[in-house]
Amino acid sequence: MVGGGGREHAIVEALSRSKRVERIFCAPGNAGIASLAQCVPLKDTDIEGLKAFALGNAVDLTVVGPEAALAKGIADSFRAAGLAVFGHTAAASRIETSKEFAKQLMAKYDIPTAAYRSFTDFDEAFAYVSSRPFPAVLKYDGLAAGKGVVIAADRAEAEAALRDMLLDAKFGDGKVVVEDYLTGPEFSFMCFVTGNRVWPMPLSQDHKRAFDGDLGPNTGGMGAYTGLPFIIDEDRSFALENIMQRAADAMCAEGCPLSGVLYGGLMKTPDGIKVIEFNARFGDPETEVVLPLIRSDIYDMFEAVATGRDTSAPEWEDAVTMGVVLASKGYPGSYAKGVEIRGVEDARGIVFHMGTKREGERLLTAGGRVMMCVAKAPTLAEAKELAYADIDRIECDNLFYRKDIAHWALK
Ligand code: AMP
Ligand code: GLY
């Protein structure tokens, strides 16, 4: 397993339930993962180091969590060395790493998304934005860890953002995609994909803003749940057929087939379901609420995707999940690290570690998002009660959390 966050903890946990898995290594891992896998002190982007480790330890299959490693070509490099890997080639990862590639693909293959144009020239971009209704959506083209999107309310905000992106090189050299502003609830649709075979996972919803009521700055995600009442079966079938399957087919036709997870960040707009973005990997924190529901052996699925062979669709538990993130006070801005956490062993549900480390017997905070309490139950209301009961069992002086996870579903 490559990576060391909550997503990787959830993947390692699912792998640890496999009958076929003898031993798990995780690079770099974290304090929670260490109870299920042997952590290896290698960075997730140290492709040569990881390859040497996999070869040296006769690793049968490598699963890649983070997009940075995929964008850097870890899957290409592993395959060239004869190693089985679950993760897309660098060329296929462009569906996430290049907004323009993704938008062109969607236009060419008729995958529903917001109308757009892309620019490298400031004056042209500003003239176009000024000619369109506000708010305007400006996306810097490149991996920007969620920070490259600006929703500009008026001309002045658009001008400032375009200056940052195109003139002051705040983000680096590149392009800006300008697209129409869409409205409606957002949700995440993750599928296992190999070539044109697509196996859907349960739908989930992330909470990107730091504070209750979806206020405050964007974060890596403050909580998530499954069992979305506002996405009916018809919406899901539409998205599976016209978005996820079509994208998999399109990538085959373009000569860069997918082999990993395709993540659709989708929105249910008044004109139907549309794509906000694609990611070429498991979502975080969505994975932490989705994978606890998998009943089939996840190793079979990873292996089928890595080797491009067919397999049966995975089975999922008939339950819902809800997860609440505990984050360091100050996150996503600056925050202290090394603050002691107590009571994790009293939790009744699952606790995934995101940014923790162990020092002797003590468990300490080591990141912005520190851990996530996940509960499973027949209904969301019950799952919510269980997840927040676990949040109350964990003691730490420097953590905060959102109290309204799943508010879209539990009105
Ligand atoms: P992205 O990095 O493309 O996922 O964008 C980050 C966030 O910006 C999304 O989760 C949305 O909340 C918002 N966003 C992106 N594109 C649009 C759009 N066309 N209309 C409305 N909101 C958007
Ligand atoms: N939860 C959003 C992402 O993984 O990009």
Side-chain angles (χ1 to χ4, degrees):
M1 182 74 226
V2 176
R7 163 181 62 199
E8 287 76 17
H9 193 178
I11 297 168
V12 166
E13 193 281 326
L15 276 169
S16 73
R17 288 185 266 135
S18 163
K19 286 191 198 66
R20 299 179 57 200
V21 173
E22 264 168 51
R23 190 158 177 213
I24 309 172
F25 299 102
C26 186
N30 64 35
I33 293 173
S35 64
L36 300 168
Q38 181 179 330
C39 294
V40 180
L42 288 171
K43 271 208 198 140
D44 58 28
T45 48
D46 177 5
I47 295 178
E48 288 309 311
L50 292 165
K51 188 166 72 181
F53 181 87
L55 288 168
N57 289 276
V59 168
D60 292 308
L61 177 69
T62 300
V63 180
V64 183
E67 66 274 23
L70 296 169
K72 240 182 128 180
I74 191 171
D76 308 76
S77 169
F78 271 51
R79 283 193 195 112
L83 291 162
V85 57
F86 177 90
H88 310 287
T89 60
S93 304
R94 285 178 301 163
I95 198 165
E96 167 167 6
T97 59
S98 165
K99 302 250 183 227
E100 195 180 15
F101 175 84
K103 288 303 264 188
Q104 277 178 356
L105 188 87
M106 289 187 262
K108 184 167 171 189
Y109 294 91
D110 204 18
I111 296 170
T113 189
Y116 85 106
R117 277 188 56 190
S118 70
F119 299 91
T120 50
D121 180 75
F122 171 83
D123 293 322
E124 284 174 25
F126 188 52
Y128 175 74
V129 174
S130 304
S131 74
R132 309 281 305 167
F134 283 95
V137 182
L138 312 174
K139 300 187 178 185
Y140 180 73
D141 193 17
L143 262 189
K147 295 179 193 76
V149 178
V150 172
I151 314 268
D154 52 36
R155 267 171 66 103
E157 280 185 30
E159 184 177 0
L162 288 173
R163 252 179 217 294
D164 266 359
M165 293 177 180
L166 290 173
L167 295 182
D168 301 344
K170 183 169 165 187
F171 299 95
D173 283 342
K175 284 184 188 156
V176 170
V177 171
V178 179
E179 63 178 48
D180 288 353
Y181 180 75
L182 303 176
T183 55
E186 285 182 64
F187 62 102
S188 308
F189 196 0
M190 299 191 288
C191 296
F192 297 104
V193 181
T194 188
N196 60 9
R197 272 161 294 189
V198 175
W199 293 279
M201 301 184 220
L203 302 176
S204 56
Q205 192 185 40
D206 183 9
H207 297 61
K208 287 191 169 124
R209 301 300 196 98
F211 309 129
D212 287 1
D214 294 320
L215 299 174
N218 260 319
T219 70
M222 295 297 294
Y225 64 98
T226 60
L228 281 48
F230 50 89
I231 304 299
I232 56 176
D233 285 351
E234 200 184 322
D235 296 328
R236 186 178 170 283
S237 310
F238 176 87
L240 181 57
E241 196 178 316
N242 300 290
I243 295 175
M244 307 308 287
Q245 181 67 54
R246 203 172 283 176
D249 294 343
M251 292 297 277
C252 290
E254 293 296 309
C256 44
L258 295 168
S259 54
V261 170
L262 179 63
Y263 165 122
L266 312 181
M267 189 184 268
K268 182 169 173 166
T269 78
D271 301 324
I273 312 272
K274 297 195 180 182
V275 177
I276 295 290
E277 64 166 347
F278 281 123
N279 289 327
R281 53 170 173 83
F282 279 106
D284 194 344
E286 289 93 332
T287 304
E288 291 93 308
V289 292
V290 167
L291 288 189
L293 294 171
I294 195 164
R295 219 162 34 191
S296 327
D297 190 325
I298 201 166
Y299 189 85
D300 286 340
M301 183 51 63
F302 286 153
E303 187 191 53
V305 170
T307 56
R309 72 167 165 74
D310 210 0
T311 188
S312 44
E315 285 172 27
W316 302 92
E317 267 182 63
D318 187 16
V320 297
T321 47
M322 139 117 190
V324 183
V325 170
L326 284 162
S328 295
K329 285 180 188 162
Y331 172 79
S334 60
Y335 51 84
K337 289 185 192 178
V339 183
E340 184 164 7
I341 312 162
R342 291 201 187 84
V344 175
E345 55 291 341
D346 299 328
R348 313 237 168 105
I350 316 170
V351 181
F352 290 123
H353 292 229
M354 305 176 108
T356 60
K357 73 170 183 194
R358 216 169 269 286
E359 225 171 66
E361 290 294 287
R362 301 192 319 147
L363 183 66
L364 306 177
T365 63
R369 290 185 302 161
V370 173
M371 43 182 58
M372 183 167 179
C373 292
V374 176
K376 195 189 311 183
T379 67
L380 259 181
E382 290 163 279
K384 180 169 183 178
E385 218 173 287
L386 293 170
Y388 280 103
D390 275 350
I391 290 280
D392 287 340
R393 292 185 178 102
I394 294 175
E395 284 169 44
C396 177
D397 291 337
N398 199 45
L399 297 178
F400 78 99
Y401 59 91
R402 275 184 63 165
K403 297 180 178 64
D404 66 343
I405 301 303
H407 69 88
W408 276 97
L410 299 166
K411 290 258 186 282

